[in-house]
């Protein structure tokens, strides 16, 4: 009995070696914990000369145009090239703008419809409706 079990084990080992080479990618399961991770996004750059946040991917530039005042960062328009859409680049631009405004103590003024929607989905920042600047005098 022991000998036949040993022979069965050897046969099973040989079968497993033939059907499961080490070069096979691991299964993407909860048990293995492996999965495909998206490539990290490039760094968003604040191009102050052009008054826009920029994100260059595949030689194309996605932008979030703004107007900077002493007290606020007015987010005017988001533009993502059609071939780059669906990669959450506009989200990255919006988050970079929010982070920059927070670091500089500036109030966010959302004019851009995309940024308004982003802020509704991520309510960690307050939206300031566009309008004339508030004067300290008066």
């Amino acid at each position: 009995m022991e000998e036949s079990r040993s022979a069965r084990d050897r046969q099973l080992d040989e079968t497993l070696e033939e059907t499961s080479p080490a070069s096979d990618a691991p299964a993407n399961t909860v048990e293995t914990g492996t999965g495909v991770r998206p490539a990290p996004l490039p760094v968003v750059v604040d191009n102050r000369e052009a008054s826009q946040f920029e994100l260059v991917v595949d030689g194309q530039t996605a932008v979030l145009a703004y107007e900077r005042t002493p007290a606020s960062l007015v987010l005017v328009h988001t533009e993502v090239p059609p071939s780059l859409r669906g990669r959450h680049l506009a989200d990255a631009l919006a988050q970079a703008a929010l982070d920059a405004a927070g670091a500089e103590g500036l109030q966010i003024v959302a004019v851009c419809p995309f940024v308004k929607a982003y802020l509704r989905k991520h309510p960690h920042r307050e939206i300031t409706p566009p309008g004339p600047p508030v004067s300290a005098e008066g």
Side-chain angles (χ1 to χ4, degrees):
M1 169 114 174
E2 185 65 34
E3 190 174 311
S4 72
R5 189 167 155 188
S6 205
R8 251 191 348 226
D9 287 346
R10 279 195 304 274
Q11 186 179 9
L12 179 60
D13 288 343
E14 287 174 14
T15 303
L16 288 174
E17 286 175 12
E18 291 172 9
T19 61
S20 182
S23 62
D24 282 355
N28 184 11
T29 67
V30 174
E31 290 81 17
T32 63
T34 62
V36 177
R37 295 177 193 224
L41 287 176
V43 175
V44 175
V45 175
D46 182 358
N47 182 343
R48 289 182 181 233
E49 219 172 84
S51 295
Q52 62 188 23
F53 291 95
E54 300 175 346
L55 187 54
V56 178
V57 176
D58 298 336
Q60 298 182 65
T61 306
V63 299
L64 172 52
Y66 63 79
E67 295 171 8
R68 191 181 296 267
T69 71
S72 65
L73 187 62
V74 182
L75 305 177
V76 179
H77 178 70
T78 306
E79 183 82 27
V80 177
S83 63
L84 298 179
R85 292 183 183 156
R87 298 186 190 185
H88 303 282
L89 301 182
D91 289 351
L93 290 165
Q95 188 59 55
L98 297 176
D99 293 344
E104 297 175 40
L106 299 174
Q107 182 72 41
I108 294 289
V109 180
V111 175
C112 171
F114 174 82
V115 174
K116 286 181 181 182
Y118 181 85
L119 289 168
R120 279 192 296 275
K121 291 179 186 174
H122 305 88
H124 59 286
R125 299 279 193 215
E126 194 174 301
I127 300 172
T128 303
V134 177
S135 172
E137 299 173 9

